[in-house]
Amino acid sequence: MPKARKRSQKRGSGAIRLSDVARRVGCSASTVSRALTMPAMISEEMRARIHAAVAELGYLRNNAAGALRSRRTRTIGAVIPTLDHAIYARLVEALQNAAGENGYSLLVTTSNFDMEREWRQSRLLVERGAEGLVLVGHTHAPELMALLAAKSIPFINTYTYRPKSAQPSVGFDNRAASAQIARYLLELGHRHFGLIVGFRRNNDRVKDRIEGVIQTLAARRIEVPDAAIVEEPYNIEGGRGGLRRLLGLRPKPTAVICGSDVLAFGAVIECEERGIAVPRQLSIAGFDDLDFASHLGRGLTTVRVPAAEMGRRAAEHLMACLDGKPHATHYPLDTSLILRNSTSPPRPARTSDGGATGRKARSR
């Protein structure tokens, strides 16, 4: 048999060993191993040489055999509500980067905001070898908590911060974040509010954001009727439909607080269709600070969420748990109120004789 064909068979069979790569590069086998599993520990120049040799020789790691020997898969899983929204994509990207830099793989699946589906997808990830899980929110199916406890699988909740809970968390106080928006709109002079939010059922983030607004307004003796809290799917049409429902209220809201930028985007589009000037006739605020928020019209007032930092810290927490390193249980992160041109003071109400009411009218 020709030598060239023998070499081809050797490469295709996976017989190229770690020591072969090390010999080609001129380094130790342990350096090659670290470059492939913990690249952050190796210089960029050395990594480039090792990866070039790996590609040239056709070396492939036998992860299955390694997992059998060490009883470790070095894999973490993440169950997020959806990949349709950029805010979760930021989280996943940060998770992937932090895991990859430390020799871990990431498996991702979605729950579609369904608690039972989150449990099923989590079980699937554990069956596929996930040693730890990243979850979203604080509310989970009892079956999921039982599974993680029975298998001693570490996990961490994201997009929530509850320091008194036994469940680890990395995120922010959703009540406080939404209260920031409500206080700002109150300072502008608004007294009639509407909310467009996602569905509250089994969603602690939505509930907390609603409560943050309600409690802030109640402190100023402003009540938000149930009809002014509109629950819609997290999409543009949900924002449009939510605004249509709010515009049917009497009195109409002068400010609308949305539970996400996507809902706010839909509300702004509906205003444009109806010839309602934002913010002169209606102020609209969002939540998340997605990339398009600064480009929407003259910009959307919103709350900036540290999604990337959340993802990085969640990965670091799980890897510390799995590697037996010291770690905290809760990681508080800050949100920021980003002021743009979708909010302004409300227009003075008109009286029956065409005059304006309110402080400005009385001061004339």
Side-chain angles (χ1 to χ4, degrees):
M1 182 180 289
K3 292 183 179 179
R5 189 176 175 186
K6 287 183 179 179
R7 275 197 300 270
S8 176
Q9 284 187 339
K10 185 180 180 183
R11 292 182 186 182
S13 66
I16 297 296
R17 296 173 297 181
L18 201 70
S19 57
D20 297 324
V21 178
R23 191 176 303 110
R24 178 61 60 90
V25 176
C27 66
S28 67
S30 60
T31 298
V32 175
S33 178
R34 282 194 294 271
L36 297 176
T37 59
M38 293 178 282
M41 298 179 63
I42 306 299
S43 70
E44 185 176 350
E45 185 270 338
M46 179 58 77
R47 285 203 310 269
R49 290 171 55 195
I50 289 171
H51 285 302
V54 165
E56 180 185 353
L57 295 173
Y59 171 71
L60 291 173
R61 285 182 291 163
N62 191 337
N63 287 327
L68 286 173
R69 287 193 301 269
S70 65
R71 297 187 179 181
R72 294 288 309 278
T73 63
R74 298 192 70 84
T75 299
I76 59 177
V79 186
I80 61 173
T82 178
L83 284 172
D84 286 342
H85 299 171
I87 196 69
Y88 293 119
R90 290 180 189 171
L91 176 78
V92 169
E93 182 178 19
L95 279 169
Q96 176 65 66
N97 290 341
E101 289 169 2
N102 292 276
Y104 278 81
S105 299
L106 176 68
L107 298 176
V108 180
T109 187
T110 60
S111 67
N112 197 29
F113 297 95
D114 184 293
M115 196 164 67
E116 184 177 347
R117 179 171 170 175
E118 180 192 47
W119 166 56
R120 294 198 306 267
Q121 293 299 312
S122 297
R123 185 176 60 188
L124 178 62
L125 289 176
V126 172
E127 290 172 350
R128 295 289 175 87
E131 297 183 276
L133 292 182
V134 176
L135 305 174
V136 174
H138 191 80
T139 305
H140 309 291
E143 295 89 345
L144 172 54
M145 294 295 98
L147 168 68
L148 299 179
K151 299 295 184 181
S152 299
I153 304 291
F155 70 97
I156 186 165
N157 296 327
T158 59
Y159 282 92
T160 184
Y161 174 66
R162 298 197 178 186
K164 294 182 180 180
S165 171
Q167 297 183 13
S169 64
V170 53
F172 51 91
D173 185 330
N174 282 275
R175 287 188 184 90
S178 63
Q180 286 179 295
I181 305 176
R183 280 195 299 269
Y184 172 67
L185 292 170
L186 282 169
E187 291 168 1
L188 289 179
H190 291 279
R191 296 298 180 267
H192 300 292
F193 293 82
L195 282 71
I196 306 175
V197 296
F199 297 108
R200 277 178 272 195
R201 185 173 180 269
N202 296 327
N203 192 321
D204 51 272
R205 286 92 61 212
V206 171
K207 293 176 182 177
D208 286 349
R209 292 175 195 180
I210 293 172
E211 289 178 11
V213 173
I214 298 300
Q215 291 169 2
T216 301
L217 299 182
R220 299 287 291 272
R221 298 183 179 178
I222 297 174
E223 182 180 353
V224 180
D226 290 342
I229 304 174
V230 178
E231 298 181 30
E232 292 282 348
Y234 273 123
N235 53 43
I236 292 173
E237 184 52 44
R240 297 191 66 172
L243 188 71
R244 287 193 294 268
R245 292 166 63 183
L246 291 177
L247 292 176
L249 300 178
R250 294 294 181 272
K252 294 180 182 180
T254 62
V256 174
I257 299 174
C258 299
S260 76
D261 287 349
V262 176
L263 291 171
F265 189 19
V268 170
I269 291 174
E270 187 65 25
C271 284
E272 291 177 352
E273 287 284 324
R274 292 171 173 261
I276 299 172
V278 177
R280 188 170 62 86
Q281 293 176 274
L282 181 65
S283 288
I284 297 177
F287 202 105
D288 287 333
D289 195 28
L290 299 179
D291 290 339
F292 68 74
S294 61
H295 304 286
L296 180 62
R298 292 184 295 163
L300 178 69
T301 292
T302 186
V303 171
R304 178 172 294 162
V305 172
E309 185 178 3
M310 207 171 348
R312 177 178 60 80
R313 292 206 180 189
E316 290 173 350
H317 171 84
L318 288 184
M319 291 184 295
C321 289
L322 295 170
D323 294 340
K325 296 179 180 178
H327 57 274
T329 304
H330 301 283
Y331 307 82
L333 301 178
D334 294 326
T335 58
S336 305
L337 180 59
I338 307 300
L339 303 180
R340 298 194 179 101
N341 294 313
S342 66
T343 50
S344 69
R347 290 196 307 176
R350 311 301 296 182
T351 62
S352 58
D353 61 1
T357 63
R359 285 177 295 182
K360 290 185 178 180
R362 290 193 294 270
S363 67
R364 288 176 183 170

